[in-house]
Amino acid sequence: MKIGFIGVGAMAKAIIQGLLNAKTFMPADIVIHSAHTENYEPYAKANGLTAAKSNREVTELSDLVVVAVVPELTRDVLREVTEELHDGKKILISIVAGITLDDMESIVGYDFPILRTLPNINVEVGSGMTAIAYNDNLKGDDLIRSIGVFNALGETTKVPEDQFDVFSALAGSSPAFIDLFIDSMSRAGVKYGFNKEQATRIAAMATLGSAKMMLMSHKIPFDLIDQVSSPGGRTVKGILAMQEYGLPTAVVKGIDATVGTEPEDKD
Ligand SMILES: NC(=O)C1=CN([C@@H]2O[C@H](COP(=O)(O)OP(=O)(O)OC[C@H]3O[C@@H](n4cnc5c(N)ncnc54)[C@H](OP(=O)(O)O)[C@@H]3O)[C@@H](O)[C@H]2O)C=CC1
Ligand SMILES: O=C(O)[C@@H]1CCC=N1
């Protein structure tokens, strides 16, 4: 089975690296093309991937065709490859935020198998969280095979399409928010004399461990907060100060802005 990528930017590269790490595909079975030869050819060569000369060639050579361009270009790219998609065997996979199954069906055809996903950048290290939705034409082994690509890169969860934008904020964008939190912790460490590298490592390991605790203990966040907050100790003072300075509200406001729900956030 071959998987092709139309667009090889940050997200496609994270998926490809994750697939190579997981040995889900042989490098030569990963076919790529993007806008600039100087971007995709050296990348293909460095990783032993197959570089195609066009989006149409990627589609022709692949069983699973992943669209990984920015939303604004997606419709044009789908129109470009519609003919090659229709050989009766191919499955279209989109990782594009904001483009619905219906949007895609209206371009490539209503009788065509499509998996809509919203992965996050952590697929690169096998700890991704990917939303999935699919149309009625994707079923049986094809469904298992196409979802299996993302299960090999972490976890998948079925999400109603009208919740994809919220999922995108909570999982697609949140790695950047968590990185901001880690960087803020690390800068606090620097303020008190740690070097940045060591402070970042400490903050990142604490974040990783806390996420693991949350998932493995099945406790709610506030039970874990209470476990760390010794009576009369330092942690509760820190929690109260963070609340006073608006951390929980800042996070919700950040998600609002990402989803675009507030009137001032509308484009
Ligand atoms: N970044 C993330 O964390 C996430 C991104 N996504 C979605 O993934 C998609 C890609 O995002 P991201 O990787 O960040 O974006 P990038 O800008 O990093 O990558 C876009 C890619 O599209 C290529 N491209 C541009 N025009 C064409 C064309 N006509 N034909 C083929 N390829 C083309 C670019 O080529 P070149 O490199 O040659 O210039 C580039 O490789 C978006 O739709 C986004 O919504 C979804 C979840 C998370
Ligand atoms: O910033 C974006 O629009 C994309 C979607 C989720 C993560 N990156």
Side-chain angles (χ1 to χ4, degrees), residues 31-189:
V31 188
I32 63 169
H33 179 79
S34 74
H36 301 95
T37 319
E38 65 272 24
N39 287 344
Y40 74 85
E41 273 193 346
Y43 176 72
K45 202 168 172 197
N47 291 284
L49 315 180
T50 302
K53 288 189 179 54
S54 65
N55 293 330
R56 297 181 70 165
E57 191 179 299
V58 171
T59 312
E60 208 176 286
L61 295 176
S62 309
D63 305 294
L64 304 173
V65 181
V66 182
V67 180
V69 296
V70 293
E72 299 71 36
L73 291 175
T74 301
R75 287 178 175 79
D76 285 348
V77 158
L78 286 177
R79 279 188 204 103
E80 191 185 334
V81 301
T82 297
E83 201 181 310
E84 285 73 21
L85 278 174
H86 282 271
D87 78 343
K89 295 196 293 282
K90 300 193 194 298
I91 297 164
L92 176 63
I93 298 177
S94 165
I95 67 162
V96 179
I99 305 286
T100 65
L101 287 168
D102 196 47
D103 292 334
M104 291 183 273
E105 284 178 325
S106 73
I107 295 167
V108 300
Y110 286 90
D111 56 351
F112 196 78
I114 307 176
L115 178 69
R116 178 182 177 191
T117 71
L118 200 299
N120 73 7
I121 204 80
N122 299 334
V123 292
E124 179 168 332
V125 292
S127 293
M129 184 73 226
T130 302
I132 52 163
Y134 45 88
N135 69 0
D136 292 342
N137 302 310
L138 184 59
K139 48 192 169 211
D141 285 349
D142 284 349
L143 179 61
I144 292 166
R145 246 199 318 263
S146 47
I147 295 176
V149 170
F150 295 90
N151 280 331
L153 304 174
E155 211 171 295
T156 58
T157 186
K158 209 171 160 189
V159 171
E161 279 203 278
D162 61 5
Q163 292 281 56
F164 258 60
D165 287 349
V166 178
F167 177 92
S168 181
L170 294 180
S173 301
S174 70
F177 307 151
I178 293 159
D179 292 341
L180 182 64
F181 177 78
I182 291 173
D183 189 67
S184 304
M185 291 281 283
S186 156
R187 266 183 291 143

Side-chain angles (χ1 to χ4, degrees), residues 153-228:
L153 304 174
E155 211 171 295
T156 58
T157 186
K158 209 171 160 189
V159 171
E161 279 203 278
D162 61 5
Q163 292 281 56
F164 258 60
D165 287 349
V166 178
F167 177 92
S168 181
L170 294 180
S173 301
S174 70
F177 307 151
I178 293 159
D179 292 341
L180 182 64
F181 177 78
I182 291 173
D183 189 67
S184 304
M185 291 281 283
S186 156
R187 266 183 291 143
V190 172
K191 182 179 171 190
Y192 290 101
F194 277 88
N195 71 52
K196 190 76 194 279
E197 193 186 345
Q198 190 183 13
T200 304
R201 176 110 201 144
I202 293 166
M205 272 308 288
T207 307
L208 175 66
S210 293
K212 267 192 177 170
M213 272 289 271
M214 192 86 62
L215 294 172
M216 292 171 76
S217 69
H218 302 292
K219 287 184 176 162
I220 60 166
F222 260 92
D223 283 345
L224 292 167
I225 290 171
D226 286 350
Q227 240 177 285
V228 183

